[in-house]
Amino acid sequence: MEKSDYKGQDGLVITPRPLIIKGNDGEPLLRKTIQYDFLQALFSDTTQCFTEPTLQAPNNKVNFSTLYRKALIASNKMTGSQRIKMEQFPEFGLVMAQVCLLVNIGRINTTLAFYPDMRTALRYYHSIPSLQRDETTRQHMYDAARMKTVLKGCTGNESPPASTPAEILSRQASGTIPACNPVTALFTFTAHSTTITKDHYRECEFMDLFLPTPISSVARARALLWLLYRYLEDSKGPNPFQDPAAKSPKYAPPLPRFSMEEMEQENVDSPEEIEYGRKMLQYRIEFLNKTEAEYAQDAAKGKVDPNANPRGQKAMKKKAAIGRAVQEELAAMDTQSNLSRDTSPVPAVVDPAVAAAQAAASAHNAQVNFLSQSETNARGLLAKPPAISFIDYTNSRLLNATIDSEDEDDLPHSQSIVERRLAVLHTFCNPSVPAAVPPA
C-alpha cells in the first residue's frame, strides 16, 4: 500500500483526493473547477421519479432539480426574502441550488463568499463566472457559511435525521417514501463515502463523481441520480437510471473512462466568462490595496481601533501583497503581448492571410516566452524568497484557511501557491497558450 493511501472503516483502500476547492482570494472558480457540465447534467435531468412530500399523489413525482430546490426552500434556516427570490427567479434558484450542492458534498468550504468589497479576513472572495450570469446571482448569493446553515436546516426538518446509509434504507423499508430529503442523503453519502464506494461503485470512488476526472459528466450525473433513487425511493425495484444491460441492480450504471482529449472538451469557459473572472479579480485586488492603504493611514494618524484584530489586518495586508504580485504579472503579460503586436515587421507586399498569421504567431510566441520566464521566476521563489514570502503566506491560518492543515509541510504549500498563481496567468492569457515547461 502506498504511503498516501489508507484503509477506510470498511477495510477498503482509499487514496485521498483534493476535495475542497482551493484558491487565492479573488481567483475565479472556472468551469473545470466546479465541474459545470456535471452540475448542468444533474440539474437538467427531466426524469420525474422522485417523490415530493409536499405534493399530493399522484401528482407528487418531480425531477431531481425540483426536489433539491424545494428541500432548500423548506429549510427552517432559509430567510423569507431568499425563499421568495428562489421561487420567483428560477435562474437564481437553480444557481443557488447548484452552489449549495457543492457545499453539501464538501467541495466548497465555509470560507467562500461572493462579495468583492468584503473586509473579513477569514472569508475569501471568488466569483463563479459560469453561474453568475446576471445581477441577481452576482448580488444576492449567500456566502458558503450561510449556505451551510441552510443545509443544516434541511436536516433539522427530520427528527432524527438519518446518519448512515443503512438508516436511510431502514426507513425506506418501513414505508417512509422518500426515506429522507436529498440534502440529508448527500451529507450521509459523503460522510460514509467508503461504504458507498464499496457497495455500489466499481469503476471509481463515490467522491470522484464531483471531481475533475476522465469520466463523462453525463455518466457521473446519471450514477449519482441512480444512487439517490435507490436510497430515497426504491432499493429493490427497477431503477429508472439503471443500465438496461446491468447484471446486478446493486451497482451503479457503468462509468467508462475517456481520453484526456475528450475530457478537455468538457467544461470550456466562454470568452465572456473569462473576461468577467479577470475583471472581478482585478476589482478585488484593487479593493485589497485600498483597504491596506486605509489601515496604514489610520496607523500613521494614531487612529487605531482598540477592538481591531491585528492578525486580521496582517492577513489583509498579505492578501493585498499576493494580489499585487498577480496583478503585476498580468499587466506585464498584456504589455509584452501588445509590444509584440506593435513591433511585428510587416512586409511591404504580402498576402493578408499570411500577415495575419505571422502577427498572431509573433504575439503567441511572446506570450509563451513570458509565461516560461514567469514560471522560472516563480519556481525560484522556493529557493530564494523575495520580499513577498510565500512560505510565510502559507504558514498563516488567517491568510488562507482553505489550504492549511496540520499534516502539510511548508514546501508542498509553497509549491501549490506557485502552481495556482501560474494557473491564473495561463487562464487569462489571450489568446490561450499551452502551459510552459520549466527548464531542468
Side-chain angles (χ1 to χ4, degrees):
M1 185 188 302
E2 294 184 7
K3 186 178 180 180
S4 59
D5 295 344
Y6 66 93
K7 280 193 175 183
Q9 60 183 5
D10 300 296
L12 184 69
V13 177
I14 300 295
T15 302
R17 297 290 194 271
L19 180 62
I20 297 175
I21 294 174
K22 302 176 181 180
N24 295 322
D25 198 325
E27 292 181 14
L29 305 184
L30 302 179
R31 292 195 180 204
K32 289 182 181 179
T33 305
I34 65 171
Q35 287 297 284
Y36 174 85
D37 287 359
F38 165 78
L39 292 176
Q40 290 300 105
L42 184 65
F43 281 87
S44 63
D45 184 85
T46 58
T47 308
Q48 296 186 341
C49 60
F50 295 100
T51 303
E52 170 49 48
T54 63
L55 300 178
Q56 294 294 327
N59 300 318
N60 60 345
K61 296 297 184 180
V62 298
N63 60 8
F64 172 77
S65 178
T66 301
L67 183 73
Y68 195 82
R69 281 190 278 184
K70 284 188 173 292
L72 295 178
I73 291 173
S75 171
N76 55 29
K77 298 297 183 180
M78 175 76 74
T79 63
S81 60
Q82 198 78 344
R83 185 177 288 112
I84 291 173
K85 289 188 184 76
M86 288 192 68
E87 293 176 332
Q88 293 185 349
F89 302 97
E91 181 65 21
F92 173 78
L94 174 61
V95 171
M96 179 78 171
Q98 290 175 328
V99 180
C100 278
L101 185 134
L102 295 176
V103 177
N104 200 168
I105 52 92
R107 193 80 173 97
I108 288 177
N109 69 7
T110 54
T111 61
L112 181 143
F114 295 99
Y115 310 109
D117 294 331
M118 172 190 61
R119 292 173 180 262
T120 307
L122 292 179
R123 295 284 183 270
Y124 300 87
Y125 169 74
H126 298 283
S127 64
I128 309 183
S130 59
L131 299 181
Q132 295 179 293
R133 293 183 287 265
D134 55 37
E135 291 305 312
T136 304
T137 53
R138 292 173 182 175
Q139 297 182 8
H140 299 289
M141 292 286 289
Y142 279 164
D143 59 27
R146 190 65 178 274
M147 289 182 182
K148 188 67 171 286
T149 301
V150 170
L151 293 168
K152 290 295 186 181
C154 296
T155 63
N157 292 338
E158 301 178 351
S159 183
S163 59
T164 66
E167 285 185 21
I168 299 178
L169 291 178
S170 177
R171 290 187 181 188
Q172 183 192 117
S174 67
T176 302
I177 304 296
C180 64
N181 66 54
V183 172
T184 301
L186 288 172
F187 273 136
T188 304
F189 296 159
T190 303
H192 299 270
S193 61
T194 304
T195 301
I196 294 297
T197 299
K198 179 180 178 182
D199 290 346
H200 304 297
Y201 292 94
R202 293 176 291 188
E203 292 93 350
C204 69
E205 296 176 16
F206 169 69
M207 297 309 298
D208 287 340
L209 300 181
F210 310 98
L211 301 174
T213 185
I215 300 174
S216 78
S217 298
V218 174
R220 285 183 282 136
R222 184 180 180 86
L224 180 59
L225 291 170
W226 174 91
L227 185 71
L228 287 164
Y229 183 87
R230 178 180 176 83
Y231 278 82
L232 300 185
E233 299 290 331
D234 188 356
S235 62
K236 297 180 179 179
N239 190 316
F241 304 103
Q242 182 67 54
D243 180 19
K247 296 181 180 180
S248 172
K250 180 182 178 181
Y251 292 103
L255 293 166
R257 295 181 176 270
F258 56 21
S259 66
M260 296 304 295
E261 290 74 15
E262 292 173 308
M263 184 178 175
E264 290 298 321
Q265 294 175 8
E266 293 191 340
N267 302 298
V268 179
D269 300 276
S270 68
E272 294 78 14
E273 292 166 2
I274 294 292
E275 180 58 31
Y276 176 73
R278 182 171 184 169
K279 182 181 73 173
M280 296 313 298
L281 171 63
Q282 183 74 18
Y283 182 93
R284 179 62 177 169
I285 291 173
E286 292 174 356
F287 175 80
L288 291 174
N289 290 336
K290 178 182 176 182
T291 302
E292 182 188 19
E294 290 175 356
Y295 285 157
Q297 290 176 1
D298 290 343
K301 296 177 182 179
K303 298 180 180 179
V304 179
D305 185 356
N307 298 321
N309 183 351
R311 295 179 67 190
Q313 293 186 3
K314 182 179 179 181
M316 293 292 285
K317 291 177 65 177
K318 288 187 176 180
K319 284 184 181 182
I322 296 298
R324 285 195 296 272
V326 174
Q327 186 180 37
E328 290 171 0
E329 293 190 20
L330 286 172
M333 182 177 65
D334 288 341
T335 302
Q336 184 79 3
S337 178
N338 291 334
L339 287 174
S340 67
R341 283 193 292 268
D342 293 340
T343 59
S344 297
V346 180
V349 179
V350 69
D351 188 325
V354 174
Q358 291 176 343
S362 178
H364 177 272
N365 291 336
Q367 291 174 348
V368 171
N369 293 336
F370 180 78
L371 283 176
S372 178
Q373 185 60 45
S374 296
E375 184 159 1
T376 301
N377 295 341
R379 293 183 183 279
L381 293 175
L382 297 177
K384 183 179 180 180
I388 303 171
S389 174
F390 283 89
I391 293 180
D392 289 345
Y393 165 79
T394 56
N395 280 338
S396 173
R397 282 190 175 280
L398 288 175
L399 184 60
N400 197 340
T402 63
I403 68 167
D404 203 8
S405 65
E406 296 292 347
D407 58 350
E408 296 182 36
D409 55 27
D410 293 341
L411 186 59
H413 276 194
S414 302
Q415 185 69 34
S416 65
I417 292 297
V418 172
E419 295 295 340
R420 291 205 307 277
R421 180 175 166 187
L422 292 170
V424 174
L425 297 178
H426 287 291
T427 298
F428 292 124
C429 183
N430 186 20
S432 60
V433 300
V437 178

